[in-house]
Amino acid sequence: MLPASCSHRLVTELQGALAACQKKEEALQQSIARCRVLLQPWEVPSPPSPEPARSTETKPAFTAHEPTPKELKELELLNQALEKALQVRKGICQVQSSKSASSGKTAPSLVTAQAGPGARPRTSNPKACVPAKPPPTSQRDSGRLKKPARASSHRGKAPGNALTHARQPENSMPIEGPSLCPLPSQGQVPGLPTSTPVSVLREAGATGPSPGPEEGKIQPGLRSEAFTLKEKGTQLQLPLFYKKIASRNSSLWAQVQHYQSSADTAVAAAKAHFMERMKVTFDLPGPAISLAEIQEEVNRLDQACHLLTQHLEEALDVNGEAATASLSWEQEYHRLVTLEGLQAAVERHLLRLRELRDAEEQWLGPRPVESSLWGSALCLGGKGSSGSTNHIVYSSVEELQTMTALKLRVTMLKQQIHLEKVLMEELLPLVRSENPAGPAQVALYRAIHSQLCEAGERFSILVRDEPSV
Amino acid sequence: MGRLGRRPREDLGPGALPTAISSLSRALRGGLGPETFRKAKFDLPEAVAELWSLLFSLLWPIHQEGAVAPRDPPDALEGQIRFVKWVLCCYGYGRRHFYQLSEDGSYGSYELLLAFSWLLVYLSLPERFLCLNCVHQGDDAWICLCKDLASYPVSLALGGKGRVDIRYVQWLLGKLRFQWRSLYASQQEQCTLLNKIHLYTRGCHPDPSVGHLSVPELELLRFPESSKQLLQQLESENSCLEAFLEWKHMELVYWQWMDTVMDANPIGIPNAGKQDVFLPEILQYCSPKYITGEMDRVQKNLEALRQRLQETVNQQRAAWHTKVSRCSRRLPRLSELSTAMMKEIQETVGCELAALEQGCEVKSWSHRLQRLVFREAGEPSNSGTHQMTKVIQVLRREEASLEKTFRRLQEECQQELAILARGLEGVIWILPPYQRW
């Protein structure tokens, strides 16, 4: 068994590392679930025969359009298929909604399971509908421009229905329409496989039109045309109201950035004058450098140390593991001067650190004897980052994957190095102090060796050397 | 409003100051009116509570952003006052009268006005606040690694009590390794999914420099119900931005007024005889032991680096001198390396190291939030964007150097344990097969 303080510290550090990884994993899973939901087929009610000029301000007591007998028959078939599907889904849905605390990972798998049986009766619909579609399509296209206006006006009728087409009987689901090119409005009604995981995941309060409890009220008369992002993604359009707000937003930010870049000298002078006057009135005792500035400088020194180490590694690594003899005169001299320069820089930084420490002591008084591992919950926010977002562009999925993999690797290495140092501090003294006694001790050494030297991946073999008699 | 030019200052009349103050207030999402500021100039007590809560509502979110473990904000006025005093002390605000203000909020509006104006400059408050509450419409990508895993604080409570066996430690470490692997897999999956979404929605975004939709925007389309919140946030951000731009036009008036405020200076603070401000008491609000912890860590790293440099430099110098002496025995002067060239090399190295020092300053581009944009190779790109290839290069360099550091630590351990292994009697220690690549 390890000594108490050693155990405590090691377990603390490792549990902390595990907790951090766990947090990150959860965030990733949430993000993945969100993406998956979007990539699932989007359910939209299809317009049987859109007439763009029709006024649609009224409630959906659509009796203007008489259904043809052919369409009625198709409707019958669809109703039956839908009812079957709904019953199947009802069963699965209730199971799913009961475990609403499930993690994001299980929900998508349920989604795919549901989408399987549920999608089949659905995918047959578009094909059945398609023959009836072509004439309306051309009308739809011409009326496309009018759709956004209508859709936005429909937004006001939130609890009501905003379907713009005939023979949609009462739809109990709130349907609002962002403009979607071939289909003027978008409904969620039979979109069970896709929106239930949303209701599971978005328990924080987004009221996605979750159809769980309202399932029973779904009118069988709806025909829906599922489409995936893959097929029709390029035809999506953001709703007009959003576009307006977003474009206003970006133009305002552009103006703000313009102000930041072109500084007004009069204002700057006035501000500086004010700060000077304030400084004159400062009468609190203490060193000139504030605690916030101390923290910033310490961070900077940390970064500097990191960069200097990196530079050292690179300088030593010129020509690979080349022996000194193979370097040219210039290269060798370059290396020597670089190393000496690095040495001088390190000395400077250590000196500065000394000064910062003294200043900090003046502020905080004598330091506590034990150094606690608990980072303060409230650390001083830095001076802050500026500006709105910038764009980072990638050109292929491999690039993105490489970058994220590298980022992960770098943080992992940093964590590994930190843990290695902690392990060295805690375990090496055990090795040095005690003399090997029994097999338990030797086993301990074996474990320590494997962990410290081989990152726990390989083990040495210890053989007892019995003196042969 | 849409002009990017500068409005001339002649149109600012006597009503400019209240307008300026109300714009500032709106930009900071606060409800303070110009009356409060006027009262504060004359040190009237009615303005005190409002100003304290203004200061608190500005400083708390800024520090929550930097904090790793979120804490509940103090409800009572007393707690808020203490927090504000602590923050200002850490920033180096030095007016003694401010710290002597009582914690019941009965007086001191003049001091608070001064403190507020000081913070406006020190923290560039309106801008900082806007950036803090900026609405994210795109897929965010953090390039910098400061907020990543290794910097999480460790709670002492996780340690538990009692002693554990080395095998438990080994088990935890193995668990950690598995976590890493699953993180990697999840991340790769997320990349693929994001890329698919970006690919499928090409051409849909009104902004041509972006070109495709992001996940929040798609969700807007998919689930219009939940989009209301996003829209509300955007609208309120727009009004804050507009207020900010108005403020910027009229800012000079405010600073001119502050000059008069400082001249006014209602001396005769009633508690001139109170006890002196005891600084450590204020700073005990949240004892920043982390600073000292950080300093210890940085010191250890720097000292280790110094030691390593010392060894390496001695080695190199010795090798250099032998080389030089060997040559100079044969030749009268060093023809391979003239003094001019030596000087040149010295200058080059000087420049390199200076650039390194510059690099220690915050890498301006990498600490900002970036929006992830997909663009096929070959399409023209703006100058303001940062290609991912650059980022990858930087990361590769870091990875290489970190790996070397890690290897070195392992070798150190190996040497030390080898000494031990030799000392073990009666045991033969067979090392695992040497697999270095």
Side-chain angles (χ1 to χ4, degrees):
Chain A
M1 297 287 270
L2 300 169
S5 63
C6 171
S7 314
H8 183 76
R9 181 164 180 216
L10 288 180
V11 173
T12 312
E13 287 280 345
L14 290 173
Q15 294 283 22
L18 281 170
C21 285
Q22 187 69 24
K23 240 172 130 170
K24 189 157 178 169
E25 177 80 27
E26 280 168 16
L28 271 175
Q29 287 301 327
Q30 267 188 15
S31 167
I32 290 177
R34 279 172 80 181
C35 294
R36 281 232 187 89
V37 163
L38 290 172
L39 285 170
Q40 292 289 327
W42 293 29
E43 301 296 338
V44 256
S46 62
S49 57
E51 285 163 20
R54 191 188 330 146
S55 79
T56 49
E57 300 305 315
T58 55
K59 292 270 289 280
F62 298 120
T63 49
H65 181 89
E66 286 298 326
T68 66
K70 177 172 178 223
E71 286 171 318
L72 275 172
K73 212 185 294 177
E74 281 179 306
L75 192 55
E76 268 301 303
L77 292 167
L78 272 168
N79 287 346
Q80 290 164 8
L82 250 174
E83 272 168 344
K84 259 189 241 162
L86 285 174
Q87 275 170 10
V88 168
R89 217 169 289 121
K90 198 175 195 170
I92 304 179
C93 238
Q94 276 168 359
V95 171
Q96 195 184 23
S97 57
S98 66
K99 30 176 177 155
S100 57
S102 64
S103 69
K105 212 167 192 170
T106 57
S109 55
L110 275 172
V111 166
T112 45
Q114 272 188 347
R120 245 170 273 128
R122 193 148 318 279
T123 47
S124 60
N125 300 345
K127 299 213 185 88
C129 299
V130 156
K133 283 281 183 322
T137 324
S138 52
Q139 279 178 304
R140 236 181 282 139
D141 283 349
S142 61
R144 196 195 302 172
L145 290 170
K146 302 231 180 80
K147 298 290 187 291
R150 202 172 310 129
S152 42
S153 67
H154 275 241
R155 260 183 43 83
K157 324 246 185 283
N161 304 328
L163 290 173
T164 63
H165 303 290
R167 68 146 102 172
Q168 299 283 6
E170 295 293 326
N171 192 352
S172 58
M173 312 301 285
I175 296 178
E176 301 185 354
S179 60
L180 211 55
C181 285
L183 309 153
S185 60
Q186 172 187 327
Q188 295 292 324
V189 178
L192 291 168
T194 49
S195 35
T196 30
V198 176
S199 61
V200 167
L201 299 165
R202 288 170 164 243
E203 71 266 18
T207 52
S210 61
E214 297 171 271
E215 229 177 301
K217 299 191 222 152
I218 291 174
Q219 304 304 315
L222 286 166
R223 289 156 83 192
S224 69
E225 190 181 284
F227 73 97
T228 60
L229 212 57
K230 189 169 180 180
E231 302 157 11
K232 303 242 178 87
T234 49
Q235 299 170 4
L236 294 173
Q237 264 188 40
L238 290 171
L240 193 65
F241 50 86
Y242 176 78
K243 276 201 245 190
K244 273 200 245 171
I245 297 180
S247 73
R248 177 124 190 82
N249 190 270
S250 46
S251 83
L252 284 171
W253 272 113
Q255 289 184 43
V256 169
Q257 292 206 314
H258 177 82
Y259 260 113
Q260 281 180 339
S261 52
S262 57
D264 188 352
T265 43
V267 172
K271 282 192 196 171
H273 180 68
F274 172 74
M275 292 301 266
E276 274 304 312
R277 284 191 73 177
M278 286 295 282
K279 197 155 180 177
V280 165
T281 69
F282 281 2
D283 49 1
L284 215 52
I289 188 171
S290 67
L291 276 174
E293 287 169 348
I294 293 179
Q295 186 192 348
E296 264 184 52
E297 276 227 44
V298 169
N299 287 344
R300 222 176 295 151
L301 286 178
D302 191 19
Q303 178 79 336
C305 179
H306 184 70
L307 284 175
L308 289 175
T309 318
Q310 201 178 27
H311 206 80
L312 171 63
E313 300 284 358
E314 285 170 5
L316 289 181
D317 197 41
V318 166
N319 296 349
E321 299 281 341
T324 324
S326 65
L327 291 177
S328 76
W329 283 87
E330 288 94 357
Q331 284 173 325
E332 202 175 325
Y333 188 67
H334 185 101
R335 187 194 267 191
L336 184 61
V337 176
T338 311
L339 290 175
E340 286 178 344
L342 288 175
Q343 225 182 0
V346 170
E347 289 299 327
R348 271 201 314 270
H349 291 323
L350 276 169
L351 199 63
R352 183 75 186 134
L353 193 62
R354 175 97 248 127
E355 289 170 9
L356 290 175
R357 225 184 245 281
D358 291 337
E360 190 229 7
E361 256 187 56
Q362 281 184 41
W363 277 111
L364 296 179
R367 258 200 293 146
V369 179
E370 33 31 280
S371 60
S372 74
L373 290 170
W374 175 241
S376 161
L378 264 147
C379 48
L380 296 164
K383 284 288 193 79
S385 50
S386 70
S388 63
T389 62
N390 210 339
H391 294 165
I392 174 144
V393 177
Y394 72 100
S395 54
S396 73
V397 71
E398 288 82 18
E399 233 181 27
L400 187 61
Q401 283 179 330
T402 317
M403 187 201 80
T404 44
L406 277 174
K407 242 186 9 173
L408 188 65
R409 179 114 180 95
V410 168
T411 44
M412 186 187 105
L413 278 168
K414 282 189 184 164
Q415 200 179 55
Q416 268 192 315
I417 290 177
H418 170 72
L419 287 173
E420 179 85 3
K421 288 188 185 158
V422 168
L423 284 169
M424 278 168 72
E425 277 176 23
E426 296 291 331
L427 295 177
L428 282 180
L430 295 178
V431 162
R432 286 180 210 128
S433 59
E434 300 166 31
N435 280 322
Q441 200 71 359
V442 176
L444 177 67
Y445 292 169
R446 178 168 172 264
I448 292 180
H449 175 92
S450 129
Q451 193 51 55
L452 287 178
C453 309
E454 309 288 337
E457 287 165 15
R458 284 176 293 274
F459 286 83
S460 0
I461 305 173
L462 273 60
V463 178
R464 193 182 314 226
D465 188 13
E466 295 290 338
S468 50
V469 179
Chain B
M1 277 302 274
R3 283 174 293 155
L4 291 183
R6 212 165 281 285
R7 237 187 266 160
R9 294 209 185 281
E10 299 89 57
D11 57 3
L12 300 173
L17 182 64
T19 328
I21 292 180
S22 57
S23 307
L24 176 64
S25 188
R26 270 182 299 136
L28 295 173
R29 292 172 204 243
L32 244 52
E35 258 310 291
T36 318
F37 282 71
R38 194 186 67 82
K39 288 188 187 153
K41 174 175 178 180
F42 301 110
D43 203 21
L44 299 175
E46 298 92 50
V48 176
E50 284 186 359
L51 283 171
W52 274 123
S53 65
L54 171 68
L55 284 174
F56 179 76
S57 65
L58 291 174
L59 292 173
W60 182 265
I62 292 179
H63 289 279
Q64 284 304 89
E65 184 208 19
V68 220
R71 235 159 86 157
D72 293 321
D75 299 325
L77 184 65
E78 208 179 296
Q80 296 180 356
I81 292 180
R82 253 187 248 144
F83 171 73
V84 173
K85 282 190 186 172
W86 173 71
V87 171
L88 281 168
C89 188
C90 289
Y91 283 154
Y93 184 71
R95 280 184 71 95
R96 187 186 299 239
H97 289 308
F98 172 77
Y99 297 105
Q100 285 173 340
L101 291 177
S102 72
E103 290 179 358
D104 56 11
S106 52
Y107 65 93
S109 53
Y110 178 76
E111 285 296 329
L112 288 174
L113 177 61
L114 291 181
F116 171 71
S117 303
W118 188 84
L119 272 177
L120 267 186
V121 181
Y122 184 84
L123 286 180
S124 325
L125 260 187
E127 287 98 329
R128 180 87 177 267
F129 219 62
L130 284 175
C131 299
L132 198 63
N133 299 323
C134 169
V135 175
H136 300 165
Q137 303 160 286
D139 296 318
D140 307 332
W142 288 101
I143 306 186
C144 78
L145 301 166
C146 338
K147 301 198 181 186
D148 219 330
L149 285 166
S151 57
Y152 276 60
V154 178
S155 161
L156 279 178
L158 290 174
K161 317 246 185 266
R163 309 166 63 180
V164 297
D165 196 44
I166 186 78
R167 278 170 291 188
Y168 181 65
V169 173
Q170 284 177 306
W171 177 71
L172 284 176
L173 285 160
K175 208 169 152 188
L176 190 62
R177 276 212 301 282
F178 274 117
Q179 284 270 22
W180 282 116
R181 278 185 221 164
S182 72
L183 266 181
Y184 173 78
S186 309
Q187 244 186 9
Q188 300 297 81
E189 189 182 353
Q190 191 205 27
C191 290
T192 337
L193 291 174
L194 269 182
N195 184 55
K196 272 197 197 155
I197 289 183
H198 292 173
L199 263 178
Y200 296 163
T201 59
R202 263 175 309 176
C204 299
H205 203 269
D207 180 0
S209 70
V210 176
H212 61 77
L213 298 177
S214 66
V215 170
E217 286 166 347
L218 259 188
E219 285 179 340
L220 187 78
L221 282 174
R222 182 81 172 86
F223 308 114
E225 281 293 313
S226 55
S227 68
K228 285 194 190 123
Q229 200 191 19
L230 179 65
L231 289 170
Q232 270 170 6
Q233 284 178 340
L234 271 177
E235 276 178 3
S236 83
E237 186 176 293
N238 283 356
S239 50
C240 282
L241 285 169
E242 285 166 9
F244 174 73
L245 288 168
E246 282 174 29
W247 156 253
K248 274 300 189 187
H249 276 307
M250 301 191 273
E251 202 178 345
L252 189 60
V253 176
Y254 180 81
W255 295 113
Q256 287 166 346
W257 179 68
M258 279 311 294
D259 244 353
T260 68
V261 170
M262 287 205 81
D263 291 330
N265 199 3
I267 310 270
I269 316 275
N271 57 333
K274 220 178 178 180
Q275 81 262 21
D276 213 350
V277 168
F278 189 48
L279 267 181
E281 199 180 77
I282 298 177
L283 293 170
Q284 277 312 308
Y285 176 83
C286 198
S287 54
K289 291 200 197 111
Y290 72 96
I291 293 189
T292 46
E294 285 286 301
M295 278 205 251
D296 286 339
R297 199 173 52 85
V298 175
Q299 181 146 5
K300 257 189 231 166
N301 290 345
L302 280 174
E303 282 171 351
L305 184 60
R306 172 168 65 179
Q307 197 176 6
R308 190 159 162 231
L309 273 171
Q310 195 123 20
E311 293 167 5
T312 329
V313 165
N314 292 343
Q315 242 179 21
Q316 288 287 309
R317 234 184 249 144
W320 174 256
H321 283 309
T322 43
K323 197 166 179 175
V324 165
S325 57
R326 236 185 299 136
C327 280
S328 63
R329 251 184 273 136
R330 285 184 272 132
L331 304 158
R333 208 164 50 114
L334 230 65
S335 57
E336 280 92 345
L337 201 60
S338 60
T339 37
M341 196 166 276
M342 287 170 90
K343 249 212 172 110
E344 204 184 293
I345 291 184
Q346 280 169 10
E347 271 177 31
T348 331
V349 172
C351 289
E352 278 176 19
L353 291 177
L356 211 61
E357 300 283 313
Q358 294 288 331
C360 299
E361 307 294 312
V362 170
K363 285 189 263 209
S364 55
W365 57 267
S366 70
H367 279 268
R368 260 191 262 170
L369 183 62
Q370 312 273 340
R371 178 180 174 147
L372 206 56
V373 168
F374 174 69
R375 197 173 288 144
E376 303 235 323
E379 292 177 25
S381 60
N382 308 347
S383 55
T385 59
H386 300 283
Q387 297 294 331
M388 199 158 278
T389 37
K390 262 192 254 170
V391 179
I392 293 182
Q393 265 176 16
V394 170
L395 284 173
R396 275 203 212 278
R397 277 182 74 190
E398 267 209 69
E399 184 203 11
S401 91
L402 284 172
E403 270 180 358
K404 282 201 206 110
T405 315
F406 189 52
R407 269 300 320 140
R408 214 175 22 87
L409 283 176
Q410 284 184 327
E411 277 164 10
E412 244 184 73
C413 294
Q414 206 153 41
Q415 285 172 2
E416 176 131 9
L417 288 170
I419 302 174
L420 160 78
R422 273 178 243 129
L424 281 176
E425 293 179 359
V427 175
I428 304 176
W429 192 307
I430 306 173
L431 288 172
Y434 189 73
Q435 284 177 28
R436 299 284 170 250
W437 46 80

